[in-house]
Amino acid sequence: MGVFKRKNKDGVESEKWYVDYRDPNGKRIIKAVGPKKDAEAYLGKVIAAIREGRFFDVKKENKTPFKELLEAYVEKVRDQRFYQTSVSYFIPVLKKRFGEKLLSR
């Protein structure tokens, strides 16, 4: 965890400061913030939020399976010209490959 400045390919430092930390799930996050003072303040808020268990950047995992999205798509395009082609070629392949996987994956 920390704040730092990045250099471009020519070795020139950017004006922005970056915050580097790991969320509660262990995922590394690097975020451009602005001036050093703001970056340090942001990092302090993130650390406090993680410590208190109220981290605000954690996204809830989507529990919807791909097949539900595919079924909604089929309903939406049923009246369109390419529907028969989709049903015979694309839909079975997508259903077989991704059917039970969650959208979050």
Side-chain angles (χ1 to χ4, degrees):
M1 287 192 203
V3 296
F4 64 94
K5 273 188 167 182
R6 282 191 172 164
K7 293 183 180 180
N8 65 13
K9 62 183 176 184
D10 298 326
V12 179
E13 283 188 347
S14 71
E15 294 297 316
K16 290 183 182 178
W17 283 80
Y18 291 80
V19 176
D20 181 13
Y21 60 94
R22 293 197 181 271
D23 71 6
N25 297 325
K27 181 180 177 190
R28 185 176 184 192
I29 298 174
I30 299 175
K31 184 174 182 174
V33 178
K36 184 176 183 179
K37 192 177 199 181
D38 293 346
E40 289 172 341
Y42 180 81
L43 182 61
K45 288 179 185 177
V46 167
I47 292 170
I50 290 172
R51 194 175 300 140
E52 294 171 5
R54 56 176 181 79
F55 185 67
F56 49 87
D57 278 351
V58 174
K59 296 175 184 156
K60 293 180 182 173
E61 187 173 320
N62 192 341
K63 303 265 187 210
T64 306
F66 179 80
K67 66 181 178 183
E68 284 185 27
L69 179 68
L70 192 60
E71 290 166 4
Y73 169 77
V74 167
E75 288 299 316
K76 194 168 200 114
V77 299
R78 190 175 297 278
D79 297 331
Q80 297 190 12
R81 208 169 43 152
F82 62 88
Y83 175 71
Q84 289 304 320
T85 306
S86 294
V87 168
S88 60
Y89 293 110
F90 308 119
I91 304 294
V93 172
L94 291 172
K95 193 177 281 188
K96 182 179 179 183
R97 176 73 173 99
F98 301 107
E100 297 303 320
K101 292 193 177 192
L102 299 178
L103 292 176
S104 60
R105 295 284 173 181

